[in-house]
Amino acid sequence: MSERTSEDSPASPLNQGHIFSGSREEMSKIPLLDLRPQFERLRDEIGALVLGVLDHGQFIKGPEMMELEEELAEFAQVDDAVTVGNGTDALQIALMGERVGPGDAVFVSGFTYVASAGAIQLCGATPVFVDIRPHSFNMDPDDLETRIKRVKDAGKLNPKVVMPVDLFGLPANYERILAIAEAHGLTVVADAAQSFGGTIHGERVGSLAEVTTTSFYPTKPLGGYGDGGAIFTTHPDKAEVYRSIREHGFPAGDRSSAVRLGLNSRLDTIQAAILLAKLRAFSGEIQRREEVARQYDSRLEGIVELPLRPEGVTSAWSQYSIRLEARDAVRAALNANRIGTAIYYIKPLHLHPAHESFSEGPGSLPVCEQVSRQVLSLPMHPDLAPEAIDRVCDTLIDAVRSV
Ligand SMILES: *Cc1c(COP(=O)(O)O)cnc(C)c1O
C-alpha cells in the first residue's frame, strides 16, 4: 500500500505522520487521532495474544484467524465473516465473487476513498459515480435510480452491483438502496470500511446488505497494527467463494487444482491476534466515540453544520466531520493552535486522474464537488478527553466568529 497523506484518506494516521504521540514537549498538541492510550489500555491482552502466536508458530491461517472470524461474525450478527489482507482486497474479492468484469457497471458513491473505485476498475468493470446527499455525505438514492436508468437506456453496460459507502462511519440509506437494487436486479456490495460498529434500528453493519466489506487499517474504528480487512455475508454460499478467492482459487481443503481465479490475501495470524484483543474492547470504544460526538454536537450546534443523525441510525464515528463555508481559514486557525484536522476528501472520485475517464468531469457530481470544498474532520478517538474537546470547540468557535 502506497503512502498516504492526511489530505487523501481517513486511513492516514495523524497529521504529524505517526500513530503514537505523547512526548512531554507535545502535551498541548491535540492530534486528529491518538492510538497510544488505547495501546496502554490493551497492552497486556495484545501482548499475551501476540506471544501466543509466536509460541505456536502458525503465522498463516492460525487458530486466532479462525477465532477472529467467529467473533466478527457474532459481533456483526451474520453467519460468516471472512478475513482478508486489507479493505481494498475485501472489495475486490467481493466483486470477483459476483463475477463482476468487463462490460459490467458498478454504481459507487462519488465521495469516498479512491480504493472503492480502484477495486471496481481492477476487476475490469466500469465505475458509475453516484452523487451524495449533502448532509449525510452518503449515496443519494434518487441519483442512484437516475444513473441506473441512464445506463440501461444507453444499452452499453450491464448494471450489476451497487456499492454504497458508509462515509465517516454513518451507515448509508440501505432501506432505499436495497429496494432500488432489488427492483433493477442488482446486488449490493457495501463498503463499510469506515462504519464497522454502526447500526440501523439495532442491526449491525455487516448484516445490512447481502455482502459487506470492512477494513482494519490502523486508523479505522476497529484498526489493527498493519493492514487487514474482512467480508461479511448473509448468503449461505458466498463465504466459501471468498475463502477460495483469497487463496488463489483453491477450493476448501484441496490444493490440487485452482477452480477459479484468485489472489493471495489472507490476514496474518499476528494481526488477527491483535484484532481479537481490540474487538473485545470495541463496544466500549464505540460508546466513547458516541460520547465524544455528543460533546461536539452540544458545543457546536448553530455554529457549523453538524454531522447528520438520521432516526434509528448510529455511526461508528470513524470521523467527526463538519461542514462550513470558511473551511480553509478555520482549519488554519486550528492548525496554529496545534489541533489536528483533516479534509476527507479534497476531491471527489471523478476528479482523480485515475478515475476521471469514467465520468463526465467537473460539474457532473455537483453535491460531491461542493461538499469537498466545505468538509472538515475534527479530532476523534475513544480516548479524547472532554477538556481536549472543549479546547477544540473554543478554538473553532473563535475562528468561525473572526473570519
Ligand atoms: C480505508 C478504506 C478502504 C480501503 O481499505 P484498506 O484496508 O486501506 O485497503 C476502502 N474504502 C473506504 C471507504 C475506506 O475508507
Side-chain angles (χ1 to χ4, degrees):
M1 179 131 316
S2 62
E3 257 190 287
R4 293 164 174 170
T5 70
S6 63
E7 304 296 310
D8 65 16
S9 158
S12 90
L14 300 175
N15 279 0
Q16 62 267 47
H18 57 85
I19 289 182
F20 296 143
S21 74
S23 79
R24 217 166 278 275
E25 314 80 79
E26 294 185 357
M27 283 302 263
S28 65
K29 203 174 220 172
I30 303 176
L32 185 67
L33 176 63
D34 185 0
L35 294 172
R36 185 82 205 175
Q38 183 203 47
F39 177 62
E40 300 299 345
R41 280 190 281 112
L42 301 178
R43 179 183 194 103
D44 292 347
E45 290 86 343
I46 291 172
L49 279 158
V50 169
L51 271 177
V53 178
L54 298 178
D55 278 333
H56 68 58
Q58 286 185 61
F59 301 121
I60 300 291
K61 292 203 289 180
E64 289 80 2
M65 189 194 92
M66 323 295 175
E67 220 173 310
L68 178 66
E69 293 189 342
E70 275 168 29
E71 292 195 20
L72 284 171
E74 197 180 325
F75 188 96
Q77 305 160 340
V78 289
D79 289 340
D80 232 322
V82 179
T83 56
V84 296
N86 58 67
T88 310
D89 284 0
L91 284 170
Q92 193 181 345
I93 292 168
L95 293 175
M96 287 168 78
E98 301 304 318
R99 299 176 174 275
V100 167
D104 292 333
V106 177
F107 298 85
V108 61
S109 169
F111 198 55
T112 170
Y113 186 48
V114 290
S116 313
I120 298 165
Q121 289 170 234
L122 282 167
C123 288
T126 300
V128 177
F129 302 119
V130 179
D131 213 347
I132 56 169
R133 300 284 303 157
H135 308 293
S136 70
F137 308 127
N138 283 332
M139 181 182 273
D140 179 351
D142 294 328
D143 194 52
L144 171 64
E145 206 151 29
T146 304
R147 293 193 195 242
I148 293 173
K149 285 189 183 131
R150 221 184 277 165
V151 167
K152 282 191 162 169
D153 290 345
K156 289 194 187 122
L157 295 168
N158 170 37
K160 195 133 186 192
V161 165
V162 181
M163 187 188 286
V165 180
D166 303 341
L167 210 72
F168 306 139
L170 184 75
N173 186 345
Y174 285 98
E175 194 179 332
R176 284 209 54 208
I177 290 170
L178 289 170
I180 293 166
E182 190 177 17
H184 291 276
L186 313 185
T187 304
V188 173
V189 172
D191 181 351
Q194 302 178 12
S195 63
F196 188 59
T199 62
I200 298 184
H201 298 304
E203 310 222 334
R204 287 247 162 90
V205 163
S207 69
L208 302 175
E210 189 172 296
V211 181
T212 302
T213 68
T214 198
S215 163
F216 304 126
Y217 189 82
T219 64
K220 307 286 166 143
L222 179 61
Y225 292 148
D227 279 314
I231 312 168
F232 301 89
T233 178
T234 57
H235 190 285
D237 306 326
K238 287 189 177 177
E240 193 183 319
V241 174
Y242 304 145
R243 290 198 168 91
S244 168
I245 297 175
R246 79 174 166 187
E247 273 197 290
H248 310 290
F250 291 120
D254 175 8
R255 300 201 140 236
S256 57
S257 55
V259 296
R260 54 170 66 79
L261 183 64
L263 35 92
N264 174 14
S265 187
R266 289 160 305 219
L267 184 74
D268 295 351
T269 314
I270 286 182
Q271 208 53 249
I274 292 161
L275 286 163
L276 262 182
K278 291 200 179 196
L279 179 58
R280 290 167 185 165
F282 189 52
S283 289
E285 294 194 351
I286 291 292
Q287 184 57 39
R288 269 298 301 147
R289 285 177 186 266
E290 173 65 25
E291 287 164 17
V292 170
R294 283 192 189 280
Q295 190 180 339
Y296 275 132
D297 284 358
S298 69
R299 291 283 326 269
L300 300 178
E301 189 171 10
I303 295 173
V304 294
E305 189 189 302
L306 303 180
L308 192 74
R309 290 173 175 273
E311 174 73 29
V313 184
T314 65
S315 176
W317 297 111
S318 165
Q319 304 292 334
Y320 186 90
S321 302
I322 57 173
R323 256 184 76 181
L324 67 175
E325 292 287 338
R327 190 263 314 270
D328 294 333
V330 168
R331 186 182 194 207
L334 289 165
N335 188 42
N337 283 277
R338 295 162 70 74
I339 294 167
T341 58
I343 297 171
Y344 304 128
Y345 294 91
I346 285 267
K347 43 173 136 167
L349 285 186
H350 69 297
L351 303 183
H352 286 266
H355 311 296
E356 69 191 347
S357 65
F358 295 99
S359 81
E360 283 148 51
S364 62
L365 294 160
V367 183
C368 291
E369 291 167 37
Q370 190 194 17
V371 164
S372 68
R373 290 189 289 268
Q374 299 180 336
V375 80
L376 184 68
S377 298
L378 303 180
M380 166 56 80
H381 58 86
D383 298 280
L384 193 61
E387 306 75 54
I389 302 168
D390 273 333
R391 211 186 100 201
V392 175
C393 294
D394 291 340
T395 311
L396 194 143
I397 291 165
D398 277 353
V400 167
R401 292 197 170 136
S402 64
V403 291

